[in-house]
Amino acid sequence: MPLIAPSLLSANFLNLQQDCDMLNASEADWFHLDVMDGRFVPNISFGFPVIEHIRKATSKVCDVHLMILEPEKYAEAFKKAGADILTVHIEACHHLHRNIQQIKSLGMKAGVALNPHTTIDSIKDVLGDIDLVCLMSVNPGFGGQQFIERTLERTRALRKMIDDHQLQVQIEIDGGVTLENARSIVEAGAHVLVAGNTVFRSNDPAGTIKKLKSIS
Ligand code: DX5
Ligand code: ZN
């Protein structure tokens, strides 16, 4: 059974309380919060005040996905805002090991995200130091994009690497997850499914989360 992490990028920003209430009452496991800086990715989303308010509106895990340059400058502020998991992009970190140490020392779980072009092998030497790998299944920056099929092979390769080393690292798949492709993603070895459009554009968001969750 996968963990479900709806992305609030597709939520109603004029009524976040309502969407938080829906997620709280649903089978969603995590709140996936996408932070974009307009530099690492060609879009700007939201920052600390929004996350602080979401933190107050839920006791579920706040999974913060940073699509920003120089994440070390802001890690402490994201902890203060309420992040439980902080994920940085490998492509944005010159000193990834140091970034991971910083996140852990602040008392958060550490995640590393890989863009679709970044080889799985590039994560190998820090795999024992992190809690989560976020495999991007779209190019980051926007919700509602189409799933890149090659991600399935990448997921299998990463899962094998994790299992071969008997690690507890979770694989999160982010981008273009639908009711149609979710099963194959889980079968490839994913532990966590991020879903923005599929959940929030649905007529029955809680029912859609339930369907994603029921994949065995
Ligand atoms: C993309 C974000 C994703 C995105 C997922 O840059 O990291 O979390 O919001 O949205 P969907 O599920 O709509 O592709
Ligand atoms: Zn994301």
Side-chain angles (χ1 to χ4, degrees):
M1 205 180 258
L3 298 180
I4 309 302
S7 164
L8 280 90
L9 196 59
S10 301
N12 177 0
F13 281 77
L14 276 182
N15 201 342
L16 275 177
Q17 184 72 54
Q18 192 178 308
D19 284 341
C20 288
D21 291 345
M22 179 278 292
L23 291 180
N24 285 335
S26 78
E27 292 181 35
D29 297 279
W30 297 354
F31 281 39
H32 184 83
L33 304 175
D34 287 302
V35 177
M36 305 178 183
D37 65 354
R39 297 173 70 218
F40 179 67
V41 287
N43 197 7
I44 297 177
S45 58
F46 53 79
F48 305 114
V50 172
I51 294 176
E52 279 165 20
H53 280 92
I54 291 173
R55 170 75 289 168
K56 287 182 198 140
T58 188
S59 55
K60 295 196 183 192
V61 168
C62 284
D63 168 36
V64 177
H65 176 194
L66 297 185
M67 286 158 273
I68 68 172
L69 299 179
E70 301 178 306
E72 62 278 0
K73 284 191 180 171
Y74 307 100
E76 195 173 347
F78 282 110
K79 167 68 183 174
K80 284 196 181 127
D84 298 300
I85 304 170
L86 198 63
T87 296
V88 295
H89 264 265
I90 194 167
E91 302 86 5
C93 297
H94 293 300
H95 302 285
L96 181 65
H97 188 268
R98 184 180 287 150
N99 289 76
I100 293 164
Q101 284 179 314
Q102 180 196 28
I103 293 168
K104 304 285 271 188
S105 73
L106 287 165
M108 294 178 284
K109 289 195 170 177
V112 177
L114 270 60
N115 277 340
H117 73 276
T118 300
T119 178
I120 295 294
D121 275 343
S122 62
I123 196 76
K124 204 169 167 188
D125 291 304
V126 294
L127 207 51
D129 302 306
I130 61 180
D131 302 287
L132 176 116
V133 178
C134 174
L135 284 187
M136 292 308 302
S137 36
V138 297
N139 286 294
F142 304 93
Q145 302 181 80
Q146 201 188 343
F147 183 82
I148 298 171
E149 289 295 327
R150 166 91 185 150
T151 311
L152 294 176
E153 264 172 72
R154 289 161 60 73
T155 305
R156 281 190 281 271
L158 176 60
R159 182 61 185 264
K160 184 172 185 320
M161 197 187 283
I162 291 169
D163 291 349
D164 284 351
H165 293 85
Q166 295 176 316
L167 298 170
Q168 297 302 316
V169 185
Q170 290 181 303
I171 302 175
E172 176 179 65
I173 302 300
D174 188 3
V177 174
T178 64
L179 287 172
E180 288 69 41
N181 63 20
R183 178 171 299 279
S184 57
I185 297 169
V186 172
E187 282 173 358
H191 305 94
V192 187
L193 301 177
V194 174
N197 249 39
T198 292
V199 167
F200 288 100
R201 297 288 167 271
S202 151
N203 290 329
D204 175 15
T208 299
I209 292 167
K210 193 180 179 64
K211 282 185 193 155
L212 291 170
K213 184 76 192 167
S214 69
I215 294 168
S216 49

